[in-house]
Amino acid sequence: MRTGLAALTLALGLAAPAAAEPVLLATIGMIGDPAQRMAGECVRVEVLIGPGLDPHLYQARPSDIARLREADRIVALGLGLEGRLGSVLERVGAAVLGASVPADRLLTHGEAPDPHIWMDPSLWATTFPALAEVLTGMAPDCAEAIARGRDAEMARAAALDAWAAEALDSIPAEQRILLTAHDAFQYFSHRYGLENAAIQGISTESEPSIADIDATADLAAARRVPAAFIETTLNPRAVRALVEAAASKGHTLEIGGSLYSDALGEVGSGAETWPGMIVANVTTITRALGGTVPPVPGEVLP
C-alpha cells in the first residue's frame, strides 16, 4: 500500500509528505523547556509530568505507558527524583541527565543524592551538553542549530545566575534563612549563601510528623525567621501548621508566598519556563526576606 501511494504521489507530480519530527519525552518541565529551545523545529519535545504534579510521587497512567513506548527518546533526571517511575524509565532505556553532573557538585541528604539540581542555574547548565547530544542524535541534520541553541541556553543560565545572586545578596544577613515545606532548595541555598531549613527531607513520600513541625517551629522562633514558604506541588497544610506552632511559641511567622519546587507553573503564571521558575522564586524569596529585586535582564527570560 505504501509503495502504491508513493508511486501515485510521484505520478501526480506531488511532493511526498514530510516526515514528522522525532519526539523527545522529558519527565519534567525543567528538562523539556530548555530542550525545546535547543531543538527548535527539529525535534518535538513533550513533558510527562506537568505543572503542579510531584515527580517524587508520580505513578504512570495507562496513557503514559503508550507515550513512553511511542517516543523516539526519553530523558529523565534520575538521582531518585522520579522515584515511582524509576523501574519503568530503566526498562525503556531513558537517558539520565543526572549522570552528567560532576560528582563533586552533587549534594546529599543523608546518603541519598539530592536530585533538585535545576535550582542552581550554574549547575543545571552543566547538563545542557548531554541534553544537546541526545537531541543531535535524534536530528543529526540539525547538529549546528542544536549546538547554537545549547550555547544560548548556557549563556541564559549564566545571566540568570548573576541576576539571582544580585537579588539574594540584598537580603539582610540576619534574615538569610530559607524555610520551606520540603528540602528542595538545598542547591539554591548553597549557591546563593542562604541557610537552608525545611520541615521534611528531599522526598515527599511521607507526611511530616508533629515532631518535625515542632522542631522547625523552635528554629523559626529562636532565629526570628520572618517567613516560611509553601510550594505549588505540595499541600500547604504543613506550613500552616508550622505558622500556628511558631505562634504558640510567641513568634509571628508569615507565609512568604508560593515557590515552584518540583514542577513548572501553568501557562500564564510567569513560571511556565525554567528561567521563569527561578525568577519567580528569587523574586518571592527576596521580597519576603527583606531584600530588593533588581530589574530582570532581557536575556534571562525566553
Side-chain angles (χ1 to χ4, degrees):
M1 180 65 73
R2 290 181 181 175
T3 302
L5 177 59
L8 179 60
T9 299
L10 290 173
L12 293 174
L14 301 175
E21 69 270 28
V23 175
L24 174 71
L25 182 62
T27 54
I28 56 175
M30 291 76 79
I31 296 173
D33 172 61
Q36 187 63 84
R37 285 192 296 278
M38 289 184 210
E41 297 181 356
C42 297
V43 176
R44 185 170 86 249
V45 179
E46 299 178 356
V47 173
L48 185 67
I49 306 171
L53 299 176
D54 184 346
H56 296 285
L57 305 180
Y58 191 83
Q59 292 182 306
R61 300 165 293 187
S63 60
D64 294 334
I65 300 301
R67 295 179 71 194
L68 287 163
R69 287 174 176 166
E70 292 168 2
D72 294 282
R73 287 300 307 272
I74 299 160
V75 177
L77 180 73
L79 302 177
L81 178 73
E82 304 97 343
R84 297 184 181 183
L85 282 176
S87 59
V88 174
L89 294 169
E90 185 175 353
R91 285 200 301 272
V92 297
V96 179
L97 277 192
S100 68
V101 177
D104 62 353
R105 295 192 65 182
L106 285 175
L107 302 178
T108 60
H109 193 279
E111 297 183 358
D114 185 339
H116 301 92
I117 54 179
W118 60 86
M119 289 297 188
D120 175 350
S122 70
L123 184 58
W124 193 226
T126 67
T127 70
F128 291 173
L131 186 54
E133 185 176 343
V134 172
L135 292 167
T136 301
M138 299 174 70
D141 290 346
C142 295
E144 291 185 6
I146 291 169
R148 288 193 298 270
R150 175 203 62 207
D151 293 346
E153 288 306 302
M154 294 182 76
R156 186 191 307 279
L160 175 62
D161 181 49
W163 172 83
E166 181 184 354
L168 294 161
D169 282 349
S170 71
I171 298 172
E174 68 277 8
Q175 296 180 190
R176 301 179 64 80
I177 302 175
L178 180 56
L179 180 52
T180 58
H182 93 293
D183 206 354
F185 290 85
Q186 185 178 199
Y187 289 100
F188 184 93
S189 297
H190 184 264
R191 178 65 178 171
Y192 299 116
L194 302 175
E195 183 175 342
N196 189 64
I199 301 171
Q200 66 182 118
I202 60 174
S203 176
T204 55
E205 286 280 356
S206 61
E207 291 287 330
S209 67
I210 294 174
D212 292 331
I213 292 171
D214 194 59
T216 310
D218 283 337
L219 169 68
R223 300 288 299 279
R224 314 307 295 174
V225 178
F229 300 88
I230 60 178
E231 298 172 39
T232 59
T233 53
L234 299 180
N235 191 307
R237 61 176 172 260
V239 174
R240 289 174 179 157
L242 174 64
V243 169
E244 294 177 3
S248 73
K249 302 174 187 296
H251 175 58
T252 300
L253 181 66
E254 302 288 345
I255 293 181
S258 297
L259 301 180
Y260 297 91
S261 54
D262 289 339
L264 300 182
E266 298 282 355
V267 173
S269 66
E272 62 266 36
T273 66
W274 168 69
M277 170 197 214
I278 300 299
V279 167
N281 285 345
V282 169
T283 299
T284 297
I285 292 165
T286 301
R287 288 175 176 165
L289 298 183
T292 303
V293 180
V296 180
E299 65 270 24
V300 165
L301 293 174

